[in-house]
Amino acid sequence: MIPVLVLNSGSSSIKYQLLDMADRARLATGVVERIGEAGGAVADHAAGMRQVLAELEGNLDRGALAAVGHRVVHGGDRFRGPTLIDDEVCDAIRDLIPLAPLHNPANLTLIEAARATFPDTPQVAVFDTAFHQTLPAPAHTYAVPAAWRDELGVRRYGFHGTSHQYVSRRAAALLGRRPEEVNVIVLHLGNGASVCAVRDGQSVDTSMGLTPLEGLIMGTRSGDLDPAVPAYITRRTGQSAEEIDRTLNTASGLLALAGSNDMRDVEAAAGKGDEGARLALDAYCYRIRKYIGAYLAALGRVDAVVFTAGVGENSAAVRAGAVAGLEHLGISVSPKRNVAESKEERYISPYWAQTAVLVVPTDEEIEIADQALAAVG
Ligand code: ADP
């Protein structure tokens, strides 16, 4: 047994998985919700941690735990890989709060609760941004004043790094090649969504930016838009920067166009002839297609386009729509393979295709556990 506990905290929830990395098996998984909410039973993340322990009772021998792996959203440009947590690392995560004001405080509170609970177990931070620290300067630079870049840290960081890293490595395995010798475009399409261009196993561009708002159309996020839109809305309505930021993050995307942030609802409504839902689906796929084109240009040679996460793994309609019209660039899906139901890693391109199109279910927890063990040594 090599038990590893993986913790992933939101502002009001803790998701956990206990894995036995000796045979890569899941021993227990669960979620503690409504932390700190009025009327909720769980007062704070420390109480949430006690509930996780209670739920793991019987599965977990505390002394035997090899590592605790923490998903941390923002590592800024300080963290390029999994990092053993000490007081200094906690301070650095605290320093990065301005870049991730909702996520990093929640991650930090849970780290502190877990350190108190497992004082003798190594704790490792695995950052959502770390995989993208290999982006070359032309890809991560925004053309803004030096004071914003140098003093305020305004640049592209990118997110979903753990997923992009795991999925690009699995894609290489599926192609029968080593990760260092393949170029892939990974489409992580979940509630949040992002694209990553991977060259020779390293992230060289990604669609999320300073924050997770940039890039693809998502469940509730707008993705790309003219940066002048917020100022325009303020002038017209008097709304504050905070209000507009909240609207673009939580009341835009599929939700704004189709009335639901769940792609299953959008597809069902589009199927019944709902025009808003049809437009939402078309715009969602069109945005992905534009990014595939952009990253083909960024990479020059692409061995595979890979779909992952809730929508990418399950929606044949989105996969077909995303690559529609790209046949002349060597990218297409086989209609039959694309609609075949499966939970496995698989090819969905035709056998004669120049570029493979793959579906690879993501597994961020196993990647976090692997990286945590690597950091422990
Ligand atoms: P998260 O980003 O929260 O981890 P997931 O990767 O689980 O999200 O993706 C969640 C989304 O996946 C849901 O909002 C839903 O739109 C989509 N999804 C799940 N199953 C299907 C399906 N069968 N068809 C289309 N979309 C699906």
Side-chain angles (χ1 to χ4, degrees):
M1 282 266 279
I2 307 176
V4 176
L5 179 62
V6 174
L7 297 174
N8 181 353
S9 60
S11 52
S12 66
S13 69
I14 301 173
K15 286 190 215 155
Y16 66 87
Q17 285 200 8
L18 180 64
L19 300 120
D20 175 10
M21 295 305 285
D23 53 11
R24 305 177 80 74
R26 246 161 278 260
L27 302 175
T29 113
V31 56
V32 178
E33 283 172 312
R34 306 196 56 205
I35 297 172
E37 284 181 13
V42 191
D44 53 22
H45 281 78
M49 195 63 233
R50 283 195 295 277
Q51 184 161 331
V52 171
L53 271 187
E55 291 179 15
L56 287 174
E57 194 70 63
N59 271 313
L60 177 65
D61 169 6
R62 255 196 252 195
L65 203 55
V68 180
H70 292 269
R71 174 184 178 227
V72 181
V73 168
H74 219 307
D77 56 12
R78 301 271 279 275
F79 298 103
R80 307 180 66 86
T83 306
L84 263 177
I85 295 172
D86 56 18
D87 292 340
E88 213 176 304
V89 170
C90 286
D91 288 343
I93 296 171
R94 195 171 297 113
D95 289 344
L96 291 163
I97 286 176
L99 287 171
L102 296 179
H103 290 106
N104 273 29
N107 298 154
L108 203 54
T109 322
L110 188 60
I111 287 173
E112 277 157 3
R115 287 178 85 195
T117 308
F118 306 102
D120 301 322
T121 307
Q123 316 249 339
V124 179
V126 177
F127 298 89
D128 248 25
T129 48
F131 183 55
H132 304 302
Q133 278 298 301
T134 47
L135 257 60
H140 73 62
T141 301
Y142 291 129
V144 296
W148 293 12
R149 286 181 280 128
D150 300 342
E151 289 155 35
L152 302 177
V154 174
R155 53 160 285 176
R156 179 182 308 288
Y157 294 99
F159 299 87
H160 290 143
T162 325
S163 177
H164 287 304
Q165 188 168 8
Y166 172 83
V167 169
S168 57
R169 220 182 39 241
R170 290 305 313 156
L174 211 56
L175 296 172
R177 313 258 292 276
R178 290 183 299 125
E180 312 82 64
E181 56 183 24
V182 298
N183 291 359
V184 299
I185 297 173
V186 180
L187 301 160
H188 177 111
L189 311 176
N191 250 319
S194 70
V195 197
C196 184
V198 180
R199 173 185 289 134
D200 304 331
Q202 296 199 325
S203 174
V204 293
D205 206 348
T206 191
S207 58
M208 284 177 166
L210 175 79
T211 78
L213 184 56
E214 194 180 350
L216 299 179
I217 295 176
M218 312 180 207
T220 62
R221 296 191 190 113
S222 62
D224 294 336
L225 82 170
D226 183 338
V229 167
Y232 172 76
I233 298 298
T234 298
R235 283 195 296 273
R236 295 299 302 264
T237 68
Q239 285 182 60
S240 69
E242 288 304 323
E243 283 174 276
I244 294 169
D245 190 52
R246 197 160 50 240
T247 300
L248 292 174
N249 275 288
T250 65
S252 298
L254 294 176
L255 180 60
L257 295 177
S260 169
N261 64 324
D262 192 311
M263 185 55 86
R264 285 164 290 205
D265 299 339
V266 179
E267 281 184 35
K272 288 188 195 128
D274 182 296
E275 279 180 31
R278 185 73 251 167
L279 173 61
L281 196 55
D282 289 346
Y284 185 96
C285 292
Y286 177 64
R287 184 75 56 85
I288 297 171
R289 197 149 71 235
K290 281 213 291 192
Y291 269 97
I292 294 175
Y295 288 178
L296 274 171
L299 291 170
R301 187 200 87 229
V302 172
D303 301 303
V305 172
V306 196
F307 288 91
T308 192
V311 177
E313 291 165 28
N314 296 298
S315 174
V318 166
R319 292 191 300 252
V323 302
L326 300 183
E327 300 82 4
H328 294 295
L329 296 172
I331 299 171
S332 65
V333 295
S334 144
K336 203 169 146 200
R337 287 178 166 187
N338 185 35
V339 299
E341 291 278 338
S342 167
K343 294 283 166 214
E344 302 297 313
E345 298 174 346
R346 59 196 186 274
Y347 279 75
I348 56 169
S349 41
Y351 68 91
W352 44 262
Q354 193 181 316
T355 304
V357 182
L358 311 174
V359 176
V360 172
T362 192
D363 193 338
E364 290 166 272
E365 286 76 18
I366 205 120
E367 180 67 26
I368 291 172
D370 267 329
Q371 293 196 15
L373 283 181
V376 168

